[in-house]
């Protein structure tokens, strides 16, 4: 495989930058090129086609943002035609040899069925099965230690399933199972990914020398990503969402639980997800920044992972371009700064694409084992991240249909990946078998089929199911490309800005035309998986966050398109060698300026992440969290206020909220022993407030918070309990609460 941005006349020795030897390197029959009589000069034809394709794609993306879908589709169709012709023109000049494992272009010759065809097919399958078994036997004899480790890894996975099934709901810890699980993964990887010969120091130096460019690129990208994603986590976006509070409280609970159960699900997450957050929260003593740090690190790592995936598929320049687009993506920056699972989805999807395609291209079982472990680990994250399992499965089935020879040669790799996935996912497989209702609970409530939403729409509209699903698929596409991101964001931009979106769609349309090639097929299936997930979900138009994991694939498609447009558009113009890089960098810089200015400028000033009530909750919780231990807290608010039920307040203050107008008998009142484990809301008149404040005692620190409409009551309190300090709690240019603290 070769990056269109690189010269096509010479091979590249870097294994991370393989040469493109696919059939698309040959001129298609009947395609007019600059080498044929009557064709326009390549110097003008390539540049013109590149400008036309880019211009039409941008116009289509703009029109789509204005909700004119059919006109946008027409523009995109014309843009795709121009881009395909541009790629054909470039292939004619490249004239590279065809890859051996690729199918020849054109229809396959039909064979007449023979009477003994079924018998022959059965004998062929049986012969291949015997050959496979014999191959396994020879491999075991040749490397008995590796074979033993593989068998042990699989045996430990089965033992985990048996132990977890026997314990069922018993109050027994999982640390022994955790140890066996980690050991099984380690044995599997050592057996398949460890070098065949004992590595020496010279091997390490040689490896660093071969890959120093990739290491430098990845390091710089990671540093930049950390700056954009891991700084000021407590203030941007300001305030924790309810779901972030749920994650924080669950993480704190499981991290301190004496009976940890790591291999279950809760709130659509694998419990192991909460442990990862919980250990960080415990180490950093809580707070918004500590809760969000795990996501920020995962989102930052997703950028160099996308670079590696793009480089593996299309070369270094495409990898850098794709990583640059993801680096500055406002959507990815935002989701990486939230304590929910979407940033981890982008990391796992990029790593699986990289490792699986690297193993497939090299026919390397070690890389396939790594990809399999990744496919298994996604089961412990959020439901959206599990789509990558279906993406890879669909690609394998597709290859069996369109490239059976290549599929058969890669069968050992596919089996290795499946084995790794089973080893990593074994505890969760047990959970699915024992408690399917719990595992599928989120799917059941959010699916248009199982929730009954689809049947309801059919009954109300009288339309056929197919037409309703087509409309929902249309909405899903617009959710990715044109509709503003609402849930967990409340921004005005769609997932992809105009330039990023136009490049990604153009790359997707071209990838569909090259669908038989695995490097294009996996990207197409990734996008189709995201669209299908939204299509089959209720509230698809507001649920862009669910498919955050598709961003690496979209970035690679956009990076491929941009490098192809620039390099093939400049071919034959006698342009300076650096001009292509300057143009690509310029486009990425424009995208960066637009995205970063929006997110760190307009969006930050708008302070639109949470609703007004939740913003007041966060302001109050931050203030309470800053008070010294043992401080009593009262809140003047209407009875039954939402402060009592909001998860962020519980996480940030580490106190439960109680309403003094409806206080349980076993809950201490303010000033009594144990009262500092609670915050109290008070809806009674000022006389009761003064009486309650005096009951706390003159030496006991206390704070009274008041919503703006009840701020005047603090004046009476200050006269009755003098010596305190009055302050206003403002955020986002607005005063949300008034506070009086004494002594």
């Amino acid at each position: 495989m070769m990056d269109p941005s690189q010269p096509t006349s010479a091979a590249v020795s870097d294994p991370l930058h393989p040469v493109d030897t696919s059939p698309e390197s040959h001129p298609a029959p009947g395609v007019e090129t600059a080498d044929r009589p009557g064709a326009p000069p390549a110097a003008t034809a390539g540049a013109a086609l590149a400008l036309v394709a880019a211009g039409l794609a941008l116009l289509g993306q703009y029109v789509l943002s204005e909700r004119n879908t059919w006109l946008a589709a027409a523009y995109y169709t014309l843009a795709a035609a121009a881009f395909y012709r541009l790629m054909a023109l470039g292939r004619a000049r490249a004239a590279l040899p065809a890859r051996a494992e690729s199918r020849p272009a054109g229809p396959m010759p039909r064979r007449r069925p023979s009477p003994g065809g079924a018998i022959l097919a059965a004998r062929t399958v049986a012969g291949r099965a015997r050959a496979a078994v014999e191959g396994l036997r020879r491999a075991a004899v040749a490397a008995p230690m590796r074979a033993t480790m593989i068998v042990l890894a699989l045996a430990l996975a089965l033992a985990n399933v048996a132990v977890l099934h026997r314990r069922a709901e018993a109050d027994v810890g999982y640390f022994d199972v955790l140890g066996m699980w980690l050991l099984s993964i380690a044995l599997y990887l050592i057996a398949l990914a460890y070098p065949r010969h004992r590595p020496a120091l010279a091997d390490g130096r040689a490896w660093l020398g071969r890959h120093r460019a990739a290491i430098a690129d990845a390091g710089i990208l990671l540093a930049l990503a950390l700056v954009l994603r891991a700084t000021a986590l407590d203030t941007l976006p300001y305030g924790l969402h309810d779901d972030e509070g749920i994650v924080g409280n669950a993480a704190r609970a499981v991290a301190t639980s004496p009976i940890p159960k790591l291999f279950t699900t809760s709130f659509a997450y694998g419990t192991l997800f909460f442990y990862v957050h919980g250990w960080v929260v415990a180490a950093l003593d809580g707070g918004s920044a500590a809760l969000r740090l795990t996501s920020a690190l995962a989102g930052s790592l997703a950028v160099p992972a996308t670079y590696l995936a793009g480089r593996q598929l299309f070369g270094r320049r495409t990898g850098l371009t794709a990583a640059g687009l993801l680096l500055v993506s406002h959507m990815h920056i935002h989701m990486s700064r939230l304590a929910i699972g979407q940033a981890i989805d982008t990391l796992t999807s990029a790593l699986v694409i990289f490792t699986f395609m690297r193993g497939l291209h090299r026919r390397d079982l070690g890389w396939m084992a790594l990809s399999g472990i990744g496919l298994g680990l996604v089961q412990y994250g959020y439901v959206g991240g599990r789509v990558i399992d279906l993406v890879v499965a669909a690609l394998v089935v597709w290859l069996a249909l369109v490239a059976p020879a290549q599929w058969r040669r890669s069968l050992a790799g596919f089996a290795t990946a499946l084995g790794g996935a089973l080893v990593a996912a074994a505890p969760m497989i047990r959970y699915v078998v024992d408690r399917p209702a719990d595992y599928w609970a989120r799917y059941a409530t959010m699916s248009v089929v199982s929730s009954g939403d689809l049947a309801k729409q059919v009954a109300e509209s009288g339309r056929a199911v197919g037409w309703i699903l087509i409309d929902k698929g249309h909405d899903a596409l617009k959710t990715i490309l044109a509709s503003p991101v609402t849930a967990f964001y409340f921004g005005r931009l769609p997932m992809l800005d105009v330039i990023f979106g136009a490049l990604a769609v153009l790359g997707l349309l071209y990838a569909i035309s090259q669908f038989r090639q695995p490097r294009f097929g996996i990207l197409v299936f990734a996008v189709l998986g995201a669209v299908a997930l939204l299509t089959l979900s209720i509230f698809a138009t507001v649920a862009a966050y669910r498919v955050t994991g598709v961003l690496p694939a979209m970035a690679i498609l956009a990076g491929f398109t941009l490098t192809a447009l620039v390099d093939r558009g400049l071919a034959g113009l006698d342009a300076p060698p650096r001009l292509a890089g300057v143009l690509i960098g310029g486009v990425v810089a424009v995208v960066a300026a637009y995205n970063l200015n929006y997110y760190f400028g307009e969006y930050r000033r708008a302070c639109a992440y949470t609703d007004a009530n939740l913003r007041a909750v966060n302001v109050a919780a931050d203030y309470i969290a800053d008070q010294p231990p043992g401080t009593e807290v009262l809140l003047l608010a209407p009875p039954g206020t939402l402060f009592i039920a909001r998860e962020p307040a519980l996480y940030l203050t580490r106190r439960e909220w109680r309403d003094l107008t409806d206080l349980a008998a076993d809950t201490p009142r303010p000033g009594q022993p144990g009262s500092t484990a609670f915050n109290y809301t008070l809806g009674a008149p000022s006389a009761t407030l003064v009486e309650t404040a005096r009951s706390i005692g003159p030496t006991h620190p206390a704070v009274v918070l008041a919503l703006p409409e009840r701020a005047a009551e603090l004046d009476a309190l200050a006269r009755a309990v003098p010596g305190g300090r009055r302050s206003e709690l403002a955020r986002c240019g607005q005063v949300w609460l008034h506070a009086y603290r004494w002594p």
Side-chain angles (χ1 to χ4, degrees):
M1 294 177 287
M2 172 168 283
D3 182 352
S5 66
Q6 302 298 326
T8 57
S9 59
V12 181
S13 59
D14 186 350
L16 276 177
H17 189 181
V19 175
D20 184 352
T21 57
S22 61
E24 67 171 5
S25 303
H26 294 295
V31 175
E32 187 177 74
T33 71
D35 300 324
R36 298 180 181 175
T44 57
L49 286 170
L51 290 174
V52 168
L56 288 172
L58 286 169
L59 189 58
Q61 185 69 9
Y62 173 76
V63 173
L64 186 63
S65 67
E66 297 297 319
R67 309 298 189 268
N68 195 329
T69 306
W70 298 112
L71 186 57
Y75 283 127
Y76 271 125
T77 301
L78 295 173
F83 185 58
Y84 191 85
R85 177 58 66 91
L86 173 67
M87 297 299 285
L89 186 67
R91 288 198 301 271
R93 290 194 293 269
L96 292 177
R99 187 186 302 164
E101 67 267 27
S102 300
R103 287 182 58 181
M108 296 293 292
R110 295 186 178 180
R111 297 180 179 178
R112 294 182 180 180
S114 61
I119 298 175
L120 180 61
R123 289 178 178 174
T124 302
V125 171
R128 287 174 180 163
R130 287 194 299 269
V133 172
E134 178 62 19
L136 289 174
R137 188 191 67 80
R138 291 179 179 177
V141 171
M145 183 60 71
R146 292 178 184 271
T148 302
M149 286 191 288
I150 293 174
V151 171
L152 284 176
L154 296 173
L156 283 173
L158 290 174
N160 272 335
V161 172
V163 170
L164 291 170
H165 178 73
R166 187 178 68 251
R167 290 181 182 177
E169 300 301 316
D171 290 333
V172 181
Y174 281 10
F175 280 129
D176 55 341
V177 177
L178 175 64
M180 289 195 298
W181 180 64
L182 294 175
L183 180 59
S184 66
I185 293 175
L187 287 172
Y188 197 81
L189 290 178
I190 292 172
L192 291 160
Y194 194 76
R196 298 292 175 181
H197 64 281
R198 181 178 297 177
L201 184 60
D203 296 328
R205 287 196 296 264
W207 185 89
L208 290 174
R210 289 195 307 271
H211 302 299
R212 61 180 180 274
I215 295 171
D217 293 341
I220 293 172
L221 288 167
L222 177 60
L224 294 174
L226 286 170
V227 170
L228 295 177
R229 288 159 176 78
T231 55
L233 287 172
D234 55 341
T235 58
L236 180 64
Y238 176 69
L240 295 178
H241 193 280
D242 278 326
D243 281 30
E244 291 186 272
I246 290 173
V247 171
N249 291 321
R252 183 175 283 150
V254 298
T256 58
S257 172
I259 307 176
K261 293 190 175 182
L262 297 85
F263 304 113
T264 60
T265 61
S266 180
F267 299 106
Y269 293 97
T271 315
L272 196 61
F273 169 85
F274 296 122
Y275 273 89
V276 175
H277 281 274
W279 292 325
V280 177
V281 167
L284 299 180
D285 199 27
S288 300
L291 180 58
R292 290 171 168 173
L293 183 59
T294 301
S295 291
L297 294 175
S300 298
L301 289 169
V303 175
T306 299
Y307 160 72
L308 293 175
R311 178 170 179 151
Q312 174 61 39
L313 295 178
F314 303 110
R316 182 183 179 221
R317 185 173 291 178
T318 295
L320 285 172
T321 306
L325 292 172
L326 187 68
L327 171 69
V328 301
S329 165
H330 70 94
M331 173 78 170
H332 192 257
I333 291 173
H334 179 73
M335 289 300 167
S336 299
R337 301 176 73 88
L338 305 182
I340 51 181
Q342 280 62 44
I344 297 177
D345 292 348
T346 61
L347 174 60
T348 54
S349 65
L351 287 176
V352 166
I353 291 173
F354 167 59
T355 54
F356 186 83
M357 295 308 298
R358 190 170 178 81
L360 182 63
H361 177 68
R362 292 184 162 196
R363 297 173 64 184
D364 188 312
L365 298 186
W367 286 105
M368 296 303 276
L370 283 169
S371 71
I373 297 298
L375 291 169
L377 290 179
V378 299
Q379 290 295 321
Y380 303 96
Y382 188 66
V383 292
R386 299 168 195 165
V387 174
I388 193 65
D389 286 349
L390 300 178
V391 168
V392 172
L395 178 66
V396 172
V397 173
W398 175 252
L399 287 176
L401 296 175
V402 302
Q406 181 182 357
W407 183 84
R408 286 193 296 270
R409 283 192 296 273
S410 304
L411 196 55
F414 297 151
T416 300
L418 177 61
L422 292 176
V423 167
M428 190 58 72
I429 293 173
R430 188 282 318 173
Y431 184 77
V432 175
V433 173
D434 286 356
R435 301 177 61 179
D438 291 339
Y439 179 82
W440 297 106
R442 192 63 173 174
Y443 298 98
T445 57
M446 301 308 296
S447 168
V448 294
V449 178
S450 56
S451 68
D453 183 72
L454 184 60
K456 180 180 178 181
Q457 291 187 46
V458 171
E460 292 178 350
S461 65
R463 304 175 64 200
V465 172
W467 287 112
I468 292 176
L469 290 178
I470 288 174
D471 285 345
K472 290 182 68 64
H474 168 260
D475 291 340
L477 282 171
K478 291 179 67 175
T479 297
I480 297 174
L481 297 173
S483 299
V485 182
T486 51
F488 294 101
Y489 198 164
F490 306 104
R492 67 172 179 84
L493 296 184
M495 286 183 66
L496 310 180
D497 60 83
V498 174
I499 297 177
F500 191 166
L503 293 171
V505 172
L506 199 53
L508 176 63
L509 295 174
Y510 182 77
I512 292 173
S513 72
Q514 307 296 317
F515 203 25
R516 290 190 301 177
Q517 296 187 52
R519 58 176 179 164
F520 287 109
I522 194 168
L523 299 177
V524 173
F525 278 122
V527 177
L528 291 179
V531 173
L533 179 64
L534 287 177
T535 300
L536 297 176
S537 301
I538 59 176
F539 313 124
T541 55
V542 300
Y545 72 93
R546 290 186 187 139
V547 294
T548 306
V550 79
L551 283 175
M554 300 295 281
I556 294 171
L557 287 169
F560 165 79
T561 304
L562 181 56
T563 53
L565 286 172
V566 171
D567 286 314
R568 303 202 177 191
L570 292 178
L573 290 179
D574 295 326
R578 296 180 179 274
L579 182 58
V582 171
L583 290 177
I584 294 171
V587 173
V588 174
V590 170
V591 174
Y594 183 73
N595 281 261
L596 299 182
N597 179 67
Y598 168 74
Y599 190 75
F600 292 98
E602 176 186 333
Y603 183 75
R604 182 171 191 161
R605 291 191 298 270
C607 209
Y609 174 53
T610 56
D611 58 59
N613 182 272
L614 190 51
R615 201 166 303 138
V617 169
N618 277 278
V619 170
D622 284 340
Y623 181 80
I624 295 169
D626 289 338
Q627 302 307 309
T631 301
E632 294 276 7
V633 178
L634 301 174
L635 171 68
L636 304 183
T641 179
L642 289 177
F643 275 83
I644 298 174
R646 303 310 279 259
E647 293 280 348
L650 176 60
Y651 170 75
L652 292 171
T653 66
R654 305 187 189 189
R655 302 173 176 213
E656 298 181 31
W657 287 83
R658 292 293 183 267
D659 195 332
L660 281 175
T661 61
D662 186 23
L663 199 62
D666 59 347
T667 303
R669 299 187 64 82
Q672 296 178 352
S675 63
T676 54
F678 302 93
N679 300 315
Y680 300 93
T681 58
L682 181 64
S686 300
T688 305
L689 168 63
V690 172
E691 178 184 345
T692 303
R694 286 174 173 168
S695 69
I696 295 174
T699 61
H700 202 55
V703 169
V704 176
L705 303 175
L707 295 177
E709 58 267 25
R710 297 188 63 177
E713 298 179 43
L714 294 184
D715 297 331
L717 177 63
R719 290 191 296 270
V721 185
R725 180 185 176 188
R726 180 83 176 270
S727 58
E728 294 180 342
L729 307 183
R731 197 79 200 183
C732 304
Q734 182 177 348
V735 175
W736 296 97
L737 293 160
H738 296 259
Y740 182 73
R741 186 183 185 281
W742 79 94

